[in-house]
Amino acid sequence: ESIFVGMKEEFEIDDRFEHIEYKLNMIQQNAKFFLEVLQNQKTTSLEWIIIVLIAFECVLMCLDMSGMGGHCFEAIKAAL
């Protein structure tokens, strides 16, 4: 057992494990941060898509209420 303790001190095993643990914690924190950034970007994109779809629906509703909707919808059907 004294050989084990001597080798442990000689090769600075405890210090090396502390450094490795510190680096792994830093990597873990960075990975969490980047995942949060990606999730935020995805959420922002989805919010903009929803806003555009709601605006499009409002435009269609206004066209329908103005009486021009029937003509526009028929022109779109003919074009397709």
Side-chain angles (χ1 to χ4, degrees), residues 28-60:
Q28 183 181 17
Q29 289 175 359
N30 286 341
K32 285 181 182 179
F33 172 74
F34 288 123
L35 286 173
E36 288 176 8
V37 168
L38 288 174
Q39 181 65 31
N40 188 24
Q41 288 177 349
K42 183 178 177 182
T43 302
T44 303
S45 298
L46 291 174
E47 287 173 352
W48 277 109
I49 290 171
I50 290 170
I51 290 170
V52 168
L53 289 174
I54 291 172
F56 182 69
E57 185 176 357
C58 289
V59 168
L60 291 178

Side-chain angles (χ1 to χ4, degrees), residues 19-29:
H19 289 292
I20 289 173
E21 186 177 6
Y22 174 77
K23 288 179 182 180
L24 287 174
N25 285 334
M26 186 66 70
I27 290 170
Q28 183 181 17
Q29 289 175 359

